[in-house]
Amino acid sequence: MSIQTRRERERAERERLIVAAARELAEAEGWDAVTTRRLAAEIEYSQPVLYSHFKGKGAIMAAVAVEGCAELAGELRAARTGAPPGRAALTAVGETYTAFARRRPALYDAMFTLAVDLPFATPEAPAALWAAFEELSAAVTPIAAEGDDPALLTETYWAGLHGLVTLMRSGRLPEADHDRRLALLCARF
C-alpha cells in the first residue's frame, strides 16, 4: 500500500469519526451542544485537524444530513418493496419515514429542519438526497391520477409527512393519534 493510499484511508476514517461523534453528541444533547471544540475533544484530535476536514459546524451538519438521507433512502426502499404496490406501499413508506424521524430526531433535524449548506432539488444535490426523494416518488407515482405531476405530488406528500413529524415533535399534535393521521394522509393522497 502506498503512503498516499494510507493517508487517504486515514483521512476518510477521521471524517467518519467526526461525523459519527457529531451525530452521537447531537442525539444525546442536541445540536447546540455540537461545537468544533467539543468535537475535537470527543475524537481526541485538535481543532485544526477538524477544520482540515470541515469548514465548521455547518459543513459537519451537512455531512450528517447526507449520511442520514442515504440511511433514510435505504429504509424507505425496504418498506416500499416489502409492501404490496399502491396505497399499501405508500402507507409503508409513510410509516417508515415518520418512525425514522421519531427514532433519530437530531439526525432528522440536520436533514430537514436546520439550515445546512446543501442544495436541495437541484442537479447539484448530493446523490443521497435524490435517493431519498426518489424513494418517496416511487411510492407516490403509482397512485398519481392521470395528469398529475409526480414530482409535485411527491413534494406535497413529503410536506404532509414532514408536517406530521414536526407538529407531533413540538407537542402541537398529540402523539396518540399519529397512526390515524398517517392513515388519513395516505388514504386521501
Side-chain angles (χ1 to χ4, degrees):
M1 170 186 321
S2 72
I3 291 173
Q4 181 65 27
T5 302
R6 180 180 54 82
R7 286 184 180 155
E8 288 172 3
R9 190 185 73 242
E10 289 170 351
R11 180 173 179 75
E13 183 55 36
R14 275 192 309 272
E15 285 184 11
R16 280 190 294 277
L17 184 63
I18 293 165
V19 169
R23 283 181 66 166
E24 186 176 311
L25 187 56
E27 288 297 350
E29 300 179 34
W31 280 104
D32 287 342
V34 179
T35 65
T36 54
R37 181 182 308 247
R38 182 105 182 258
L39 281 176
E42 290 284 328
I43 63 170
E44 298 177 341
Y45 282 99
S46 67
Q47 279 185 284
V49 168
L50 196 133
Y51 281 114
S52 74
H53 292 274
F54 297 99
K55 291 180 183 177
K57 179 179 173 177
I60 295 166
M61 287 175 59
V64 167
V66 170
E67 192 175 90
C69 284
E71 291 172 20
L72 177 61
E75 290 186 28
L76 294 176
R77 185 176 311 107
R80 180 180 56 78
T81 59
R87 295 231 179 257
L90 184 72
T91 299
V93 163
E95 289 168 349
T96 299
Y97 182 97
T98 57
F100 181 95
R102 293 158 90 185
R103 224 175 33 253
R104 299 181 177 119
L107 177 57
Y108 186 85
D109 286 345
M111 294 163 58
F112 300 125
T113 304
L114 301 172
V116 293
D117 189 21
L118 285 174
F120 280 83
T122 68
E124 296 80 29
L129 277 62
W130 280 111
F133 184 80
E134 287 165 0
E135 286 304 322
L136 290 171
S137 183
V140 169
T141 300
I143 61 125
E146 189 174 326
D148 283 346
D149 177 346
L152 188 60
L153 199 58
T154 301
E155 290 171 350
T156 304
Y157 178 64
W158 177 24
L161 292 173
H162 179 72
L164 284 175
V165 166
T166 303
L167 291 169
M168 279 189 317
R169 284 181 56 200
S170 67
R172 285 163 177 83
L173 290 177
E175 186 82 26
D177 293 327
H178 169 69
D179 292 339
R180 289 179 48 212
R181 282 189 207 91
L182 185 58
L184 285 170
L185 175 66
C186 292
R188 302 287 193 274
F189 204 79

